[in-house]
Coordinates of all heavy atoms in Angstrom, one line a residue:
M1 N 110.8 107.1 120.9 CA 110.5 108.5 121.2 C 111.4 109.4 120.4 O 111.0 110.4 119.9 CB 110.8 108.7 122.7 CG 109.7 108.4 123.6 SD 108.2 109.4 123.3 CE 108.8 111.0 123.8
Y2 N 112.7 109.1 120.4 CA 113.7 110.0 119.7 C 113.4 110.1 118.2 O 113.3 111.2 117.7 CB 115.1 109.4 119.9 CG 116.1 110.0 119.0 CD1 116.7 111.2 119.3 CD2 116.6 109.4 117.9 CE1 117.6 111.8 118.5 CE2 117.5 109.9 117.0 CZ 118.0 111.2 117.3 OH 118.9 111.7 116.5
E3 N 113.1 109.0 117.6 CA 112.8 109.0 116.2 C 111.5 109.8 115.9 O 111.5 110.5 114.9 CB 112.7 107.6 115.6 CG 114.0 106.8 115.6 CD 115.0 107.3 114.6 OE1 114.6 108.1 113.7 OE2 116.1 106.8 114.6
G4 N 110.5 109.6 116.8 CA 109.3 110.4 116.6 C 109.5 111.8 116.8 O 108.9 112.7 116.1
E5 N 110.3 112.2 117.8 CA 110.6 113.6 118.1 C 111.3 114.2 116.9 O 111.0 115.3 116.5 CB 111.4 113.7 119.4 CG 110.7 113.4 120.6 CD 111.6 113.3 121.8 OE1 112.7 113.8 121.8 OE2 111.2 112.7 122.8
I6 N 112.4 113.5 116.4 CA 113.1 114.0 115.3 C 112.3 114.2 114.1 O 112.4 115.2 113.4 CB 114.3 113.1 115.0 CG1 115.4 113.2 116.1 CG2 114.9 113.4 113.7 CD1 116.1 114.6 116.1
N7 N 111.3 113.3 113.9 CA 110.4 113.4 112.7 C 109.6 114.7 112.8 O 109.4 115.4 111.9 CB 109.5 112.2 112.6 CG 110.2 111.0 111.9 OD1 111.3 111.2 111.4 ND2 109.5 109.9 111.9
M8 N 109.1 115.0 114.0 CA 108.3 116.2 114.2 C 109.1 117.4 113.9 O 108.7 118.4 113.3 CB 107.7 116.2 115.6 CG 106.7 115.1 115.8 SD 105.6 115.4 117.3 CE 106.7 115.4 118.6
V9 N 110.4 117.4 114.4 CA 111.3 118.6 114.1 C 111.6 118.7 112.6 O 111.5 119.8 112.1 CB 112.6 118.4 114.9 CG1 113.6 119.5 114.5 CG2 112.3 118.5 116.4
I10 N 111.9 117.6 112.0 CA 112.4 117.6 110.6 C 111.2 117.8 109.6 O 111.3 118.7 108.7 CB 113.1 116.3 110.2 CG1 114.5 116.3 110.9 CG2 113.3 116.2 108.7 CD1 115.2 115.0 110.7
H11 N 110.1 117.1 109.9 CA 109.1 117.0 108.9 C 107.9 117.9 109.2 O 107.0 118.1 108.3 CB 108.6 115.6 108.7 CG 109.7 114.6 108.3 ND1 110.4 114.7 107.1 CD2 110.3 113.6 109.0 CE1 111.3 113.7 107.1 NE2 111.3 113.0 108.2
A12 N 107.7 118.3 110.4 CA 106.5 119.0 110.8 C 106.7 120.3 111.6 O 105.7 120.8 112.2 CB 105.6 118.0 111.6
D13 N 107.9 120.8 111.6 CA 108.2 122.1 112.3 C 107.8 122.0 113.8 O 107.4 123.0 114.4 CB 107.4 123.2 111.6 CG 108.0 124.6 111.9 OD1 109.1 124.6 112.2 OD2 107.2 125.6 111.9
G14 N 108.0 120.8 114.4 CA 107.8 120.7 115.8 C 106.5 120.0 116.2 O 105.7 119.7 115.3
G15 N 106.3 119.8 117.5 CA 105.1 119.1 117.9 C 105.1 118.9 119.4 O 106.0 119.5 120.1
E16 N 104.3 118.1 119.9 CA 104.2 117.8 121.3 C 104.2 116.3 121.6 O 103.7 115.5 120.8 CB 102.8 118.3 121.9 CG 102.8 119.8 122.2 CD 101.5 120.2 122.8 OE1 100.8 119.4 123.3 OE2 101.2 121.4 122.6
A17 N 104.9 116.0 122.7 CA 104.9 114.6 123.1 C 104.3 114.4 124.5 O 104.6 115.2 125.4 CB 106.4 114.1 123.2
E18 N 103.4 113.5 124.6 CA 102.7 113.2 125.9 C 103.1 111.7 126.2 O 102.9 110.8 125.4 CB 101.2 113.3 125.8 CG 100.5 113.1 127.1 CD 99.0 113.3 127.0 OE1 98.5 113.4 125.8 OE2 98.3 113.4 128.0
V19 N 103.6 111.5 127.4 CA 104.0 110.2 127.8 C 103.3 109.8 129.0 O 103.3 110.4 130.0 CB 105.6 110.1 128.1 CG1 106.0 108.7 128.4 CG2 106.3 110.6 126.8
L20 N 102.5 108.7 128.9 CA 101.7 108.2 130.0 C 102.3 106.9 130.5 O 102.5 105.9 129.8 CB 100.3 107.9 129.5 CG 99.6 109.1 128.8 CD1 98.3 108.7 128.2 CD2 99.3 110.2 129.8
V21 N 102.7 106.9 131.8 CA 103.4 105.7 132.4 C 102.4 105.0 133.3 O 101.9 105.6 134.3 CB 104.6 106.2 133.2 CG1 105.3 105.0 133.8 CG2 105.6 106.9 132.3
Y22 N 102.0 103.8 132.9 CA 101.2 103.0 133.7 C 102.0 101.8 134.3 O 103.1 101.6 134.0 CB 100.0 102.4 132.8 CG 99.2 103.4 132.2 CD1 99.4 103.8 130.9 CD2 98.1 104.0 132.9 CE1 98.5 104.7 130.3 CE2 97.3 105.0 132.3 CZ 97.5 105.3 131.0 OH 96.7 106.2 130.4
E23 N 101.3 101.1 135.2 CA 102.0 100.0 135.8 C 102.5 98.9 134.8 O 103.5 98.3 134.9 CB 101.1 99.3 136.9 CG 101.9 98.9 138.1 CD 101.0 98.9 139.3 OE1 100.8 100.0 140.0 OE2 100.4 97.9 139.6
D24 N 101.6 98.7 133.8 CA 101.9 97.6 132.9 C 102.3 98.1 131.5 O 102.6 97.3 130.6 CB 100.6 96.8 132.7 CG 99.4 97.5 132.2 OD1 99.4 98.8 132.3 OD2 98.5 96.9 131.7
R25 N 102.3 99.4 131.2 CA 102.7 99.9 129.9 C 103.0 101.3 129.9 O 102.6 102.1 130.8 CB 101.5 99.6 128.9 CG 100.3 100.4 129.1 CD 99.1 99.8 128.3 NE 98.0 100.8 128.2 CZ 97.1 100.9 129.2 NH1 97.2 100.3 130.3 NH2 96.1 101.8 129.0
I26 N 103.7 101.7 128.8 CA 104.0 103.1 128.6 C 103.4 103.5 127.2 O 103.5 102.8 126.3 CB 105.5 103.4 128.6 CG1 106.1 103.1 129.9 CG2 105.8 104.9 128.2 CD1 107.6 103.1 129.9
V27 N 102.6 104.6 127.3 CA 102.0 105.1 126.0 C 102.5 106.4 125.7 O 102.6 107.3 126.5 CB 100.4 105.2 126.2 CG1 99.8 105.7 124.9 CG2 99.8 103.8 126.6
M28 N 103.0 106.5 124.4 CA 103.6 107.8 123.9 C 102.8 108.3 122.8 O 102.5 107.6 121.8 CB 105.1 107.5 123.4 CG 106.0 107.0 124.5 SD 107.4 106.0 123.8 CE 106.5 104.4 123.8
I29 N 102.3 109.6 123.0 CA 101.5 110.2 122.0 C 102.2 111.4 121.4 O 102.5 112.4 122.2 CB 100.1 110.6 122.6 CG1 99.5 109.4 123.3 CG2 99.2 111.2 121.5 CD1 98.3 109.8 124.2
L30 N 102.5 111.4 120.1 CA 103.3 112.5 119.5 C 102.3 113.2 118.5 O 101.8 112.6 117.6 CB 104.5 111.9 118.7 CG 105.4 111.0 119.5 CD1 106.5 110.5 118.6 CD2 106.0 111.8 120.6
T31 N 102.1 114.4 118.8 CA 101.1 115.2 118.0 C 101.8 116.4 117.3 O 102.5 117.2 118.0 CB 100.0 115.7 118.9 OG1 99.5 114.6 119.6 CG2 98.9 116.3 118.1
D32 N 101.5 116.6 116.0 CA 102.0 117.8 115.4 C 101.0 118.4 114.4 O 100.0 117.7 114.1 CB 103.4 117.5 114.6 CG 103.2 116.6 113.4 OD1 102.4 117.0 112.5 OD2 103.8 115.5 113.4
R33 N 101.2 119.6 114.1 CA 100.3 120.3 113.1 C 101.1 120.6 111.8 O 101.0 121.6 111.2 CB 99.8 121.6 113.7 CG 98.9 121.3 114.9 CD 98.1 122.5 115.4 NE 97.2 122.2 116.4 CZ 96.0 121.6 116.1 NH1 95.6 121.4 114.9 NH2 95.1 121.3 117.1
G34 N 101.9 119.6 111.4 CA 102.7 119.7 110.2 C 101.9 119.4 108.9 O 100.6 119.4 109.0
P35 N 102.6 119.0 107.9 CA 101.9 118.8 106.6 C 101.1 117.5 106.5 O 100.3 117.3 105.6 CB 103.0 118.7 105.6 CG 104.2 118.3 106.4 CD 104.0 118.8 107.8
G36 N 101.3 116.6 107.5 CA 100.6 115.3 107.4 C 101.4 114.3 106.5 O 102.3 114.7 105.8
I37 N 101.0 113.1 106.5 CA 101.6 112.0 105.7 C 100.6 111.6 104.7 O 99.6 110.9 105.0 CB 102.1 110.9 106.6 CG1 103.1 111.4 107.6 CG2 102.8 109.8 105.7 CD1 103.5 110.3 108.7
A38 N 100.9 111.8 103.4 CA 99.9 111.5 102.3 C 99.7 110.0 102.2 O 98.6 109.5 102.0 CB 100.3 112.2 101.0
D39 N 100.8 109.3 102.1 CA 100.8 107.8 101.9 C 101.5 107.1 103.1 O 102.7 107.0 103.1 CB 101.5 107.5 100.6 CG 101.3 106.0 100.2 OD1 101.0 105.2 101.1 OD2 101.4 105.7 99.0
V40 N 100.8 106.8 104.1 CA 101.4 106.2 105.3 C 102.1 104.9 105.0 O 103.1 104.6 105.5 CB 100.3 106.0 106.4 CG1 100.8 105.2 107.6 CG2 99.8 107.4 106.9
E41 N 101.5 104.1 104.1 CA 102.1 102.8 103.8 C 103.5 102.9 103.2 O 104.4 102.2 103.5 CB 101.1 102.0 102.8 CG 101.3 100.5 102.8 CD 100.3 99.9 101.8 OE1 99.1 100.2 101.8 OE2 100.8 99.0 101.1
K42 N 103.6 103.9 102.3 CA 104.9 104.2 101.7 C 105.9 104.8 102.7 O 107.0 104.4 102.8 CB 104.6 105.3 100.6 CG 105.7 105.4 99.5 CD 105.1 106.3 98.5 CE 106.1 106.5 97.3 NZ 105.6 107.5 96.4
A43 N 105.4 105.7 103.6 CA 106.2 106.2 104.6 C 106.8 105.2 105.6 O 107.9 105.3 106.1 CB 105.5 107.3 105.4
M44 N 106.0 104.1 105.7 CA 106.4 103.0 106.6 C 107.5 102.1 106.0 O 108.1 101.3 106.7 CB 105.2 102.1 107.0 CG 104.3 102.7 108.0 SD 105.1 103.0 109.6 CE 105.6 101.3 110.0
Q45 N 107.7 102.2 104.7 CA 108.7 101.4 104.0 C 110.2 101.8 104.4 O 110.5 103.0 104.5 CB 108.6 101.5 102.5 CG 107.4 100.8 102.0 CD 107.2 101.0 100.5 OE1 108.1 101.5 99.8 NE2 106.0 100.6 100.0
E46 N 111.0 100.8 104.7 CA 112.4 101.0 105.1 C 113.1 101.7 103.9 O 113.0 101.3 102.8 CB 113.1 99.7 105.4 CG 112.5 99.0 106.6 CD 113.3 97.8 107.1 OE1 114.4 97.5 106.5 OE2 112.9 97.2 108.1
G47 N 113.8 102.8 104.3 CA 114.5 103.6 103.3 C 113.8 104.7 102.6 O 114.4 105.5 101.9
Y48 N 112.4 104.8 102.8 CA 111.7 105.8 102.2 C 111.8 107.1 103.0 O 111.6 107.1 104.2 CB 110.2 105.5 102.0 CG 109.4 106.7 101.5 CD1 109.4 106.9 100.1 CD2 108.7 107.5 102.3 CE1 108.7 108.0 99.6 CE2 108.0 108.6 101.8 CZ 108.0 108.8 100.5 OH 107.3 109.9 100.0
S49 N 112.2 108.2 102.4 CA 112.4 109.5 103.1 C 112.2 110.6 102.2 O 112.6 110.6 101.0 CB 113.8 109.5 103.7 OG 114.0 110.8 104.3
T50 N 111.6 111.7 102.7 CA 111.4 112.9 101.9 C 112.3 114.0 102.5 O 112.2 115.2 102.2 CB 110.0 113.4 101.9 OG1 109.6 113.7 103.3 CG2 109.0 112.4 101.3
A51 N 113.3 113.6 103.4 CA 114.1 114.6 104.0 C 115.0 115.3 103.0 O 115.5 114.7 102.1 CB 115.1 113.9 105.0
P52 N 115.0 116.7 103.1 CA 115.8 117.5 102.1 C 117.3 117.3 102.3 O 117.7 116.8 103.4 CB 115.3 118.9 102.4 CG 114.9 118.9 103.8 CD 114.3 117.5 104.1
D53 N 118.1 117.8 101.4 CA 119.5 117.6 101.4 C 120.2 118.2 102.6 O 121.1 117.6 103.2 CB 120.2 118.2 100.1 CG 119.9 117.3 98.9 OD1 119.6 116.2 99.1 OD2 120.1 117.8 97.8
N54 N 119.7 119.4 103.1 CA 120.4 120.0 104.2 C 120.2 119.2 105.5 O 121.0 119.2 106.4 CB 119.9 121.5 104.4 CG 118.4 121.5 104.8 OD1 117.6 120.7 104.2 ND2 118.0 122.4 105.6
V55 N 119.1 118.5 105.6 CA 118.8 117.6 106.7 C 119.6 116.3 106.6 O 120.2 115.8 107.6 CB 117.3 117.2 106.8 CG1 117.0 116.1 107.7 CG2 116.5 118.5 107.2
R56 N 119.7 115.8 105.3 CA 120.6 114.6 105.1 C 122.0 114.8 105.4 O 122.7 114.0 106.0 CB 120.5 114.1 103.6 CG 119.2 113.5 103.3 CD 119.1 113.2 101.8 NE 117.7 112.8 101.5 CZ 117.3 111.6 101.5 NH1 118.1 110.6 101.8 NH2 116.0 111.3 101.2
S57 N 122.5 116.1 105.2 CA 123.9 116.4 105.4 C 124.2 116.4 106.9 O 125.4 116.3 107.3 CB 124.3 117.7 104.8 OG 123.7 118.8 105.5
L58 N 123.2 116.4 107.7 CA 123.3 116.3 109.2 C 123.3 114.9 109.7 O 123.4 114.6 110.9 CB 122.3 117.2 109.9 CG 122.3 118.7 109.6 CD1 121.1 119.4 110.2 CD2 123.6 119.3 110.2
G59 N 123.0 114.0 108.8 CA 123.0 112.5 109.1 C 121.6 112.0 109.3 O 121.5 110.8 109.7
F60 N 120.6 112.8 109.1 CA 119.2 112.3 109.2 C 118.7 111.9 107.8 O 119.4 112.1 106.8 CB 118.3 113.3 109.8 CG 118.8 113.7 111.2 CD1 119.3 115.0 111.4 CD2 118.6 112.9 112.3 CE1 119.7 115.4 112.7 CE2 119.0 113.3 113.6 CZ 119.6 114.5 113.8
G61 N 117.5 111.3 107.8 CA 116.9 111.0 106.5 C 117.2 109.6 105.9 O 117.2 109.4 104.7
A62 N 117.5 108.6 106.8 CA 117.8 107.3 106.4 C 116.5 106.5 106.0 O 116.5 105.4 105.5 CB 118.6 106.5 107.4
G63 N 115.4 107.1 106.5 CA 114.1 106.4 106.2 C 113.9 105.2 107.0 O 113.1 104.3 106.7
M64 N 114.5 105.2 108.2 CA 114.3 104.0 109.1 C 113.5 104.3 110.4 O 113.3 103.4 111.2 CB 115.7 103.4 109.5 CG 116.4 102.8 108.3 SD 115.5 101.4 107.6 CE 115.5 100.3 108.9
G65 N 113.2 105.6 110.5 CA 112.5 106.0 111.8 C 111.2 105.3 112.0 O 111.0 104.6 113.0
L66 N 110.3 105.5 111.1 CA 108.9 104.9 111.3 C 109.0 103.4 111.4 O 108.4 102.8 112.3 CB 108.0 105.4 110.2 CG 107.6 106.8 110.2 CD1 106.6 107.1 109.0 CD2 106.8 107.2 111.5
P67 N 109.7 102.7 110.5 CA 109.8 101.2 110.6 C 110.4 100.8 112.0 O 109.9 99.8 112.6 CB 110.6 100.7 109.4 CG 111.0 101.9 108.7 CD 110.3 103.1 109.2
N68 N 111.4 101.5 112.4 CA 112.0 101.1 113.7 C 111.1 101.4 114.9 O 111.0 100.7 115.9 CB 113.3 101.7 113.9 CG 114.4 101.0 113.2 OD1 114.3 99.8 112.9 ND2 115.5 101.7 112.8
M69 N 110.3 102.5 114.8 CA 109.3 102.8 115.9 C 108.3 101.7 116.0 O 107.9 101.3 117.1 CB 108.6 104.1 115.6 CG 109.5 105.4 115.8 SD 109.0 106.8 114.9 CE 107.5 107.2 115.6
K70 N 107.9 101.2 114.8 CA 106.9 100.1 114.9 C 107.6 98.8 115.4 O 107.0 98.1 116.2 CB 106.4 99.8 113.5 CG 105.3 98.8 113.4 CD 104.6 98.7 112.1 CE 103.6 97.6 112.0 NZ 102.5 97.7 113.0
R71 N 108.8 98.5 114.9 CA 109.5 97.3 115.3 C 109.7 97.2 116.8 O 109.6 96.2 117.4 CB 110.9 97.2 114.6 CG 111.7 96.0 114.8 CD 112.9 95.9 113.9 NE 112.4 95.8 112.5 CZ 113.0 96.5 111.5 NH1 114.0 97.4 111.7 NH2 112.5 96.4 110.3
Y72 N 110.1 98.3 117.4 CA 110.5 98.3 118.8 C 109.4 98.7 119.8 O 109.6 98.9 121.0 CB 111.7 99.2 119.0 CG 113.0 98.6 118.4 CD1 113.5 99.2 117.2 CD2 113.5 97.4 118.9 CE1 114.6 98.6 116.6 CE2 114.6 96.9 118.3 CZ 115.2 97.5 117.1 OH 116.2 96.9 116.5
T73 N 108.2 98.8 119.3 CA 107.0 99.0 120.2 C 106.1 97.8 120.1 O 106.1 97.0 119.1 CB 106.3 100.3 119.9 OG1 105.9 100.3 118.6 CG2 107.2 101.5 120.2
D74 N 105.1 97.7 121.0 CA 104.2 96.6 120.9 C 103.0 97.0 120.0 O 102.3 96.1 119.5 CB 103.7 96.2 122.3 CG 104.9 95.5 123.1 OD1 105.3 94.4 122.6 OD2 105.4 96.1 124.1
D75 N 102.8 98.3 119.9 CA 101.7 98.8 119.1 C 102.0 100.2 118.6 O 102.5 101.0 119.3 CB 100.3 98.8 119.9 CG 99.2 99.1 119.0 OD1 98.9 98.3 118.1 OD2 98.6 100.2 119.1
M76 N 101.7 100.4 117.3 CA 101.9 101.8 116.8 C 100.8 102.2 115.9 O 100.4 101.4 115.0 CB 103.2 102.0 116.1 CG 103.5 103.4 115.6 SD 105.1 103.7 115.0 CE 104.9 103.5 113.3
K77 N 100.2 103.3 116.1 CA 99.0 103.8 115.3 C 99.4 105.1 114.7 O 99.9 106.0 115.5 CB 97.8 103.8 116.2 CG 96.5 104.2 115.5 CD 95.3 104.2 116.4 CE 95.5 105.3 117.5 NZ 94.3 105.4 118.4
I78 N 99.2 105.3 113.4 CA 99.4 106.6 112.8 C 98.1 107.2 112.3 O 97.4 106.5 111.6 CB 100.4 106.5 111.6 CG1 101.7 105.9 112.0 CG2 100.6 107.8 110.9 CD1 102.7 105.7 110.9
E79 N 97.8 108.3 112.8 CA 96.6 109.1 112.3 C 97.1 110.4 111.7 O 97.8 111.1 112.4 CB 95.7 109.4 113.5 CG 95.0 108.2 114.1 CD 94.5 108.5 115.5 OE1 95.3 108.7 116.4 OE2 93.3 108.6 115.7
S80 N 96.9 110.5 110.4 CA 97.4 111.7 109.7 C 96.5 112.3 108.7 O 95.8 111.5 108.0 CB 98.8 111.3 109.0 OG 99.5 112.4 108.6
V81 N 96.3 113.6 108.7 CA 95.5 114.2 107.7 C 96.3 115.3 107.0 O 96.9 116.1 107.6 CB 94.3 114.9 108.4 CG1 93.4 115.7 107.4 CG2 93.4 113.9 109.2
V82 N 96.4 115.1 105.7 CA 97.2 116.1 104.9 C 96.7 117.5 105.1 O 95.5 117.8 105.0 CB 97.2 115.7 103.4 CG1 97.9 116.7 102.6 CG2 97.9 114.3 103.2
G83 N 97.7 118.4 105.4 CA 97.3 119.8 105.6 C 96.9 120.1 107.1 O 96.7 121.3 107.4
E84 N 96.7 119.0 107.9 CA 96.3 119.3 109.3 C 97.3 118.8 110.3 O 97.6 119.5 111.3 CB 95.0 118.6 109.5 CG 93.8 119.3 108.9 CD 92.5 118.7 109.3 OE1 92.4 118.0 110.3 OE2 91.5 119.0 108.5
G85 N 97.9 117.6 110.1 CA 98.9 117.1 111.0 C 98.9 115.6 111.2 O 98.1 114.9 110.6
T86 N 99.7 115.2 112.2 CA 99.9 113.8 112.4 C 99.9 113.5 113.9 O 100.5 114.3 114.7 CB 101.3 113.4 111.8 OG1 101.3 113.6 110.4 CG2 101.5 111.9 112.1
T87 N 99.3 112.4 114.3 CA 99.4 111.9 115.6 C 99.8 110.5 115.6 O 99.2 109.6 114.9 CB 98.0 112.0 116.4 OG1 97.6 113.4 116.5 CG2 98.1 111.4 117.8
I88 N 100.9 110.2 116.3 CA 101.4 108.8 116.4 C 101.3 108.4 117.8 O 101.8 109.0 118.7 CB 102.8 108.7 115.8 CG1 102.9 109.1 114.3 CG2 103.4 107.3 116.0 CD1 104.2 109.0 113.7
T89 N 100.7 107.2 118.0 CA 100.5 106.6 119.4 C 101.3 105.3 119.4 O 101.0 104.4 118.6 CB 99.1 106.4 119.7 OG1 98.3 107.6 119.5 CG2 98.9 105.9 121.1
M90 N 102.3 105.3 120.3 CA 103.1 104.0 120.5 C 102.8 103.5 121.9 O 102.8 104.3 122.9 CB 104.6 104.3 120.3 CG 104.9 104.8 118.9 SD 106.7 105.1 118.8 CE 106.8 106.7 119.6
T91 N 102.7 102.2 122.0 CA 102.6 101.5 123.3 C 103.7 100.5 123.5 O 103.9 99.7 122.6 CB 101.2 100.9 123.4 OG1 100.2 101.8 123.2 CG2 101.0 100.2 124.8
V92 N 104.3 100.6 124.6 CA 105.3 99.5 125.0 C 104.7 98.8 126.3 O 104.4 99.5 127.3 CB 106.6 100.2 125.3 CG1 107.6 99.1 125.9 CG2 107.2 100.8 124.1
L93 N 104.5 97.5 126.1 CA 104.0 96.7 127.3 C 105.2 96.4 128.2 O 106.3 96.0 127.8 CB 103.4 95.4 126.8 CG 102.2 95.6 125.8 CD1 101.7 94.3 125.3 CD2 101.1 96.4 126.5
L94 N 104.9 96.5 129.5 CA 106.0 96.3 130.5 C 105.9 94.9 131.1 O 106.9 94.4 131.6 CB 106.0 97.3 131.6 CG 106.1 98.8 131.1 CD1 105.9 99.7 132.3 CD2 107.4 99.0 130.5
A95 N 104.7 94.3 131.0 CA 104.6 93.0 131.6 C 104.7 91.9 130.6 O 104.5 92.1 129.4 CB 103.2 92.9 132.3
Ligands
ADP101 N1 105.5 113.9 111.7 C1 105.6 113.8 110.4 N2 104.9 114.7 109.6 C2 105.0 114.6 108.3 N3 105.7 113.6 107.6 C3 106.3 112.7 108.3 C4 106.3 112.7 109.7 N4 107.0 111.6 110.2 C5 107.4 111.0 109.1 N5 107.0 111.6 108.0 C6 107.2 111.2 106.6 O1 107.6 109.8 106.6 C7 108.8 109.6 106.0 C8 109.6 108.5 106.6 O2 109.9 108.8 108.0 P1 111.1 108.0 108.6 O3 111.0 106.6 108.5 O4 111.3 108.5 110.0 O5 112.4 108.5 107.7 P2 113.2 109.9 107.7 O6 112.8 110.7 108.9 O7 114.6 109.4 107.8 O8 112.8 110.6 106.4 C9 109.5 111.0 106.1 O9 110.6 111.2 105.2 C10 108.4 111.9 105.9 O10 108.0 112.0 104.5
MG102 MG1 112.7 109.9 110.7

């Protein structure tokens, strides 16, 4: 959640998080109307980041957010349209 939220703040000028808590799973839906992700496969690579210098100087921009979001969830789906925005849906199974 944190990595997804920070991404929306840094890369998309903010967004919305919807968290659905079920008996057997938690579903997190992060939606923004930022620039979108042109090459999702590239963005998923460890260490890849387009964070600008002023953001890096604050300690962000290691390029590990998206890969770690995938690693620590049971399912992650990225839907992104350049110029329109990004929706990331993560599911964590509880059972
Ligand atoms: N919500 C988003 N909107 C637009 N681009 C994004 C978004 N989230 C991630 N990205 C792109 O994917 C790249 C990789 O993200 P991430 O792995 O979290 O690394 P970091 O945030 O440290 O740059 C970012 O540098 C950015 O180019
Ligand atoms: Mg990030």
Side-chain angles (χ1 to χ4, degrees):
M1 274 297 294
Y2 167 79
E3 291 291 349
E5 289 169 18
I6 287 290
N7 276 354
M8 294 197 294
V9 171
I10 290 176
H11 305 295
D13 199 26
E16 278 182 23
E18 185 179 12
V19 181
L20 306 170
V21 181
Y22 299 100
E23 218 152 274
D24 62 338
R25 67 195 195 279
I26 297 173
V27 180
M28 294 153 276
I29 305 167
L30 307 177
T31 308
D32 68 61
R33 296 190 171 280
I37 303 174
D39 188 338
V40 171
E41 206 178 311
K42 204 170 176 184
M44 284 298 300
Q45 286 174 11
E46 296 190 0
Y48 176 82
S49 175
T50 60
D53 284 345
N54 65 323
V55 167
R56 285 173 192 272
S57 71
L58 296 172
F60 300 107
M64 291 301 295
L66 290 178
N68 278 335
M69 286 157 67
K70 185 172 175 62
R71 183 170 298 135
Y72 291 109
T73 55
D74 292 295
D75 187 66
M76 183 170 97
K77 184 177 67 176
I78 300 178
E79 294 159 288
S80 192
V81 178
V82 173
E84 288 188 16
T86 300
T87 297
I88 297 184
T89 305
M90 294 181 283
T91 302
V92 174
L93 300 176
L94 302 175

